Every structure is written in C-alpha cells, then in structure tokens.
C-alpha cells in the first residue's frame, strides 16, 4: 500500500488505531486467580524460597554441630573437666588431702 496518497493515509492510520484499540481491550482483562501463568510463577517462587530455606537451615545445623564437636576436644575444656570436675584436685584440696600431681 502506498502511503504517499493523501486519501489512503488517513484510512491506514484509522485501521492501525482500530487494531490497537482492539488489542488493548482484549489484553486489558486481568488474569483471574486461577490463571496458569500466575499460579506457575507463585509456585516457582515458593519452591525457590523453600530450597534456600532448607539450604540455610542445613548450613546452620552443620556449623553448629561442628562447633559442638570441636569444643568437646578442646584442650582447655578437657583440662577443666579433668582438674576441676568431680574428684579433681580442687575437690581433694578442699577435703584437706594432698592433691593429685602435687608434691
């Protein structure tokens, strides 16, 4: 179609305007709550949030367990258990007897 003619240009612009109005009216209706596109997006976001929640929870649990295991074998804690626990040298000194390891 040649748009250089003065009579055809307004007809062409009118047809384009009608087509745009018709397309805008058909796409202006918002999708309902049961639409597939909205449900899929929400499900995807929910699954990603659950995945990262489980990942973070697992990392926190692993870190906490490793710190507990590390602290049980710490020489300072072993010294406290051995020397200051029940039956250690501190309790023997309170009872008046010689402490273990002292001369």
């Amino acid at each position: 179609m040649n748009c250089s003619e003065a009579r055809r240009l307004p007809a062409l612009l009118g047809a384009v305007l009608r087509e745009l109005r018709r397309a805008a009216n058909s796409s202006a209706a918002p999708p309902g709550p049961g639409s597939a596109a909205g449900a899929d997006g929400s499900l995807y976001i929910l699954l990603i949030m659950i995945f990262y929640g489980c990942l973070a929870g697992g990392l926190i649990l692993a870190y906490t367990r490793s710190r507990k295991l590390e602290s049980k074998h710490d020489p300072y804690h072993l010294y406290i258990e051995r020397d200051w626990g029940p039956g250690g040298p501190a309790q023997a000194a309170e009872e008046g007897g010689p402490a273990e390891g002292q001369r």
Side-chain angles (χ1 to χ4, degrees):
M1 176 185 247
N2 189 359
C3 294
S4 62
E5 296 178 24
R7 287 178 279 147
R8 289 186 152 190
L9 184 59
L12 177 65
L13 291 176
V16 170
L17 184 61
R18 281 190 302 274
E19 184 67 31
L20 288 175
R21 284 184 183 160
R22 186 174 51 147
N25 286 339
S26 65
S27 66
S35 75
D40 289 344
S42 300
L43 182 64
Y44 176 75
I45 290 172
L46 181 65
L47 289 175
I48 295 298
M49 289 176 64
I50 290 172
F51 171 73
Y52 280 117
C54 291
L55 181 67
L59 289 174
I60 290 170
L61 184 64
Y63 176 75
T64 306
R65 288 179 55 102
S66 73
R67 295 295 293 174
K68 283 183 181 176
L69 291 175
E70 179 182 309
S71 67
K72 286 183 180 177
H73 302 296
D74 187 12
Y76 178 74
H77 292 292
L78 293 175
Y79 163 76
I80 294 295
E81 285 180 16
R82 186 185 70 227
D83 290 346
W84 298 98
Q91 189 175 14
E94 288 176 0
E95 294 173 357
E100 294 176 20
Q102 289 185 353
R103 296 182 190 191

